[in-house]
């Protein structure tokens, strides 16, 4: 079974702090993704990566950056957290190619005060 | 820009009844995915539809894809309480990048 894990289930940070969200997958997937989920808006793609050290902007990259130094790990960074980044963050991974589903981690609920 | 619309957004149905959730999308694609999310949990893959006319069934759920109409349906047969969840469709816009609908919250009542 594919397993995608995220470093924290719940996180509370203060405005202006630098925040790191970590995601690890154990199935040697090439693709990894970061989404945020907000009520009434569904899931919106922040960044994704097709390979180590590669990254592509999604639909809402502003205020975020990512890092992928190893194939199994994809980090989302909030350089200076703001209250409008309070959200549920979901990481996903999939195999290369476009016929495989994405496998999701349990999510991190981030609150920025 | 690809847009994915689901309707209804909220569905309350009685056990034993049938209903259909619709997923419309705005640009050409022949890859569509359905996911389920239970409250407080992450997304679980239900179906992968990869061509026009594709139909997949699992238990009381059946999904189909009409790429010409840019429409997918998720049909629920004889609903049971365990099916209460939020259902998302997602369309592959380019190279494994998915665009999600806003979700349909299904509540099955006795």
């Amino acid at each position: 079974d594919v397993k995608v894990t995220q470093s924290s289930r719940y996180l509370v940070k203060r405005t202006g702090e630098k925040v790191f969200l970590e995601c690890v997958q154990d199935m040697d997937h090439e693709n990894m993704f970061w989404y945020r989920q907000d009520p009434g808006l569904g899931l919106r793609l922040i960044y994704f990566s097709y390979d180590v050290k590669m990254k592509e902007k999604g639909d809402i990259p502003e205020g975020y950056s990512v890092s992928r130094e190893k194939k199994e790990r994809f980090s989302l960074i909030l350089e200076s957290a703001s209250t409008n980044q309070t959200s549920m963050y979901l990481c996903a991974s999939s195999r290369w190619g476009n016929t495989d589903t994405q496998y999701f981690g349990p999510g991190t609920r981030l609150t920025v005060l | 820009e690809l847009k994915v619309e689901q309707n209804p957004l909220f569905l309350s149905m009685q056990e034993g009844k049938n209903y259909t959730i619709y997923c419309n999308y705005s640009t050409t694609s022949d890859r569509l995915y359905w996911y389920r999310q239970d409250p407080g949990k992450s997304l679980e893959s239900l179906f992968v539809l990869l061509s026009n006319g594709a139909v997949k069934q699992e238990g009381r759920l059946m999904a189909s894809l009409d790429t010409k109409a840019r429409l997918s349906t998720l049909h629920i047969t004889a609903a049971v309480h365990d099916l209460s969840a939020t259902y998302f469709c997602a369309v592959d816009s380019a190279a494994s990048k998915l665009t999600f609908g806003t979700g349909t919250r299904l509540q099955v009542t006795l």
Side-chain angles (χ1 to χ4, degrees):
Chain A
D1 274 356
V2 175
K3 196 157 183 190
V4 181
T5 56
Q6 295 183 228
S7 50
S8 306
R9 289 302 307 274
Y10 300 94
L11 210 51
V12 179
K13 295 291 181 181
R14 296 209 174 271
T15 301
E17 280 193 78
K18 191 168 186 175
V19 182
F20 293 87
L21 303 182
E22 300 272 316
C23 175
V24 178
Q25 50 93 4
D26 66 357
M27 284 302 291
D28 203 35
H29 283 172
E30 289 80 12
N31 303 330
M32 295 189 75
F33 307 83
W34 275 107
Y35 296 89
R36 65 178 280 176
Q37 183 178 18
D38 300 288
L41 297 176
L43 277 74
R44 292 179 292 166
L45 182 64
I46 305 171
Y47 267 97
F48 58 107
S49 168
Y50 293 133
D51 202 350
V52 175
K53 298 198 186 294
M54 292 184 67
K55 59 185 179 184
E56 299 279 345
K57 291 181 180 179
D59 299 317
I60 52 163
E62 297 79 17
Y64 304 94
S65 62
V66 290
S67 171
R68 193 162 180 205
E69 297 295 320
K70 293 185 178 181
K71 190 175 186 180
E72 67 271 17
R73 189 180 296 269
F74 192 34
S75 301
L76 180 70
I77 302 154
L78 287 65
E79 296 288 343
S80 177
S82 63
T83 54
N84 63 11
Q85 292 178 310
T86 292
S87 185
M88 171 69 86
Y89 290 88
L90 293 166
C91 174
S93 72
S94 69
R95 288 182 297 188
W96 176 251
N98 51 14
T99 61
D100 193 26
T101 191
Q102 292 183 12
Y103 297 88
F104 283 81
T108 296
R109 184 164 292 284
L110 172 67
T111 302
V112 182
L113 302 175
Chain B
E1 182 192 341
L2 172 62
K3 292 202 183 302
V4 181
E5 289 185 356
Q6 285 181 239
N7 68 83
L9 298 184
F10 177 73
L11 176 57
S12 179
M13 55 190 299
Q14 285 184 313
E15 275 202 335
K17 299 288 189 186
N18 303 334
Y19 210 84
T20 300
I21 299 171
Y22 297 88
C23 175
N24 291 88
Y25 54 99
S26 61
T27 63
T28 303
S29 175
D30 56 4
R31 288 175 291 279
L32 190 137
Y33 305 80
W34 283 96
Y35 293 87
R36 168 185 171 140
Q37 185 178 38
D38 292 298
K41 301 284 179 66
S42 192
L43 276 74
E44 172 193 347
S45 178
L46 290 174
F47 299 110
V48 178
L49 303 169
L50 298 177
S51 61
N52 186 40
V55 177
K56 294 275 183 78
Q57 182 162 6
E58 179 77 33
R60 299 173 188 275
L61 299 177
M62 184 173 73
S64 65
L65 178 61
D66 181 343
T67 59
K68 292 188 171 69
R70 298 178 188 166
L71 171 69
S72 179
T73 59
L74 181 66
H75 188 72
I76 303 150
T77 302
V80 293
H81 181 70
D82 284 354
L83 291 179
S84 297
T86 299
Y87 293 85
F88 291 93
C89 63
V91 178
D92 189 319
S93 53
S96 303
K97 183 182 161 191
L98 297 183
T99 299
F100 282 78
T102 52
T104 296
R105 188 157 78 90
L106 172 66
Q107 186 174 67
V108 180
T109 58
L110 294 170

